[in-house]
Structures are given as structure tokens and as C-alpha cells.
Amino acid sequence: MGAGSVAVVVPAGIGVPSWDLYELAIPCTVFGKPQPDLADPWYDLRLCGTGHGPADGTGLAVRTPYGLDDIVGADTVVVPSVPDPCVEDGEPLPPDLIEALRRAHDAGARMVSLCTGAFALAEAGLLDGRRATAHWAHTAQLAARYPQVEVDDSVLYVDNGDVLTSAGLTAGLDLCLHLVRRDLGAHVANQLARRMVVPAHRPGGQAQFVDLSVPATDDESLAPVLEWARAHLDEPLTVGDLARRAAMSPRTFHRRLRAATGTTPLQWLLAQRLAKAQSLLESTDLPVEKVGELSGLGTANNLRHHFLKHVGVPPGDYRRAFPRTSAVP
């Protein structure tokens, strides 16, 4: 859809509790800072709320010239979170917020929730009959309160096209980068992620949490071999090749990578190769056959097969959707 307007909801009359600042900061960072060398125009960010802080004096009061009525004309609406009492104690969400969300959706806005923001979309009826997620600590409450929603507590985010939900904290960043990838392409999303010093792409189906003894990211012992693999995607890599380079048995390498990333080695390799192919299609005029070769996906037919299965469109259609530059990543 290209860059457009993004309305970030600061719910009326309740301000932002200090522990929810992270979720609020994520869309502000991704969509609010212009990146003219990556895409021009960039997103038009609007913080929409009344600016009144919590009654007990905690948290941060956000004052903005935009109110809840201003979300109706936005291309994308993001609800970063809702107050803890609305989640834990069942206190009602502000009716004007719920009505504004319904109006925005009816007007064609893409609706997005981060963490507990899913409770607001569910209350507005926008998740009825849909698969959705939230932070795993709150998914049981979400499912119990809104039985018409298909709650999945095992994923980072769910993309239903016009309605998207994510788990908490850093999963919200994954979803926002996914939106940039959808709107502006893999090359732009990858460059933005690099500037933010975060992984370029964690698939939405990746597990929310893993073995707590291992961090949910590439651990230090795997990082060198994974970086090497990314630089050699055009080669016929196998799990055995990567395991030997990491000085591990294939079984140990499989277990360590699964614990660190939530995916198997073959799934990880396929995701990296698809990302490389997307970047090449966006940023070069290389023939499809050459893109398949450089990304390690093989023949043009094999590239088309994987694109149709995982991206949803053939490589040619994907290339036409994004303007190209002369730079080769």
C-alpha cells in the first residue's frame, strides 16, 4: 500500500502507564522518524488521545493536537496497549475509543494491536471469527472474555490482512517491521532494522517464548556461523555444513538453533533465502533466474514455487510492486 498515515491510539482519559511506554515507543520509532533515503514520503505519524494522565498520578500524560476522531481518516491505526485494570479486573474500555476503532475500520483503515491492545480490537468486534494473539501472559484472559476470537498464544504476530495483532514487547517491533516490509518492501525493512540494530525479520509464526535458559535470539555461539551462512546463501548449504562450522553435532546444532530462534535450521535457511530474493527483486534488475541462483533458491521455477507458497505472489508481480534502485544489497 505504500507509506501512509499511521494513527497511534493513546486511549482517552487514562494516559500511558510507565510500564507501557515501550509499546507506545515502538510505532513512534518505526513510523515517526522520516527515512527519506529509504522511502520518500515516509509515514505520517499521529498520536491520537486527550492527553489526560491517570488519576493516581502515575505514568505519562501524552498531549497531542490529535484526538480519537482523527483516527478515522488514517490508513493504519495502532493500539499499543490498554490499561492494566481493563485487562486484569475487567474494567470497561472507554466507549469513545471503541466507537472510534469501529468507525476507523469501517472507513477502511488497517487495524493493528500490540500486546494488550488486542483487548480493544476484540471489544470493538474487529477480531470476531479471526485468529489473534497478545502477550502470552494475557491470552487466557483474552480467550475467556472474547470466546468468538480464535486466540493463538504460540506466535509472535498474526496478519489477517486488514487486522493484525502481536504479542507483547519486542514482538510489537517485529509486527511494525512486518508492516514496513508489506508496505515498502524487504529492502527498506531490512535497512531500517539494521539502523535499529534488531533482527531484520522474525516470522510471525515463530514461538513467543522458548526454553528460558536460552535467549530468544541468535546466541553468541551461533552468531558467527549464522552470519557466515547469510553471506553464503548462494551455496548449497546443509545442516551438516553449518553444524561443522559451529563445531557441533547436527543434533546439537538443531537443538541450539531451535532454542535460540524458534525455528529449525532448514526453516531458518529458507527464511533467509526468501529475504535475500525479495531484496534482490526490489533493488536490482537481475533476471529471475539469477535471483534464484544468488539467493540459493535454485532455478526460476523453484523460486516461483517458494514465492507463491510463502509470499503469496510470483516473483515478477512482487518486483513490479516496488520501485527499484541501482544498488545491490
Side-chain angles (χ1 to χ4, degrees), residues 6 51 65 85 121 125 133 138 175-176 182 187 196 239 265 294 308 314 328:
V6 178
L121 298 190
T133 194
H138 304 299
L175 178 53
C176 287
R182 264 184 51 173
H187 182 68
M196 299 177 69
V239 176
L294 291 176
L308 284 170
V328 180

Side-chain angles (χ1 to χ4, degrees), residues 132-305:
T133 194
H135 191 289
W136 59 266
H138 304 299
T139 47
Q141 293 157 305
L142 182 66
R145 196 170 304 168
Y146 303 102
Q148 63 274 40
V149 180
E150 182 186 344
V151 178
D152 188 343
D153 65 358
S154 67
V155 295
L156 294 179
Y157 55 84
V158 176
D159 182 347
N160 287 306
D162 61 328
V163 178
L164 302 90
T165 56
S166 85
L169 300 171
T170 305
L173 178 55
D174 293 318
L175 178 53
C176 287
L177 287 172
H178 171 72
L179 291 173
V180 174
R181 185 178 296 269
R182 264 184 51 173
D183 297 342
L184 302 174
H187 182 68
V188 171
N190 291 347
Q191 292 302 309
L192 179 60
R194 184 178 182 183
R195 292 176 184 182
M196 299 177 69
V197 198
V198 296
H201 183 216
R202 291 201 297 169
Q206 183 168 322
Q208 279 197 35
F209 56 92
V210 294
D211 181 356
L212 296 180
S213 64
V214 181
T217 183
D218 303 350
D219 66 24
E220 291 183 0
S221 63
L222 294 178
V225 69
L226 297 185
E227 284 302 314
W228 178 86
R230 291 186 185 103
H232 294 81
L233 292 173
D234 57 331
E235 301 177 13
L237 303 177
T238 67
V239 176
D241 295 332
L242 300 181
R244 281 189 296 273
R245 195 165 188 90
M248 301 176 187
S249 70
R251 181 189 297 270
T252 299
F253 181 79
H254 186 286
R255 175 173 53 81
R256 292 285 294 277
L257 185 67
R258 185 63 181 262
T261 68
T263 62
T264 69
L266 291 180
Q267 290 171 334
W268 182 88
L269 272 174
L270 178 59
Q272 301 305 310
R273 285 175 163 150
L274 283 168
K276 180 66 178 291
Q278 288 176 299
S279 185
L280 289 170
L281 288 169
E282 295 167 23
S283 60
T284 76
D285 292 310
L286 293 172
V288 171
E289 291 79 6
K290 190 65 175 178
V291 171
E293 176 186 331
L294 291 176
S295 64
L297 290 173
T299 65
N301 284 338
N302 199 45
L303 176 67
R304 292 188 184 96
H305 166 76

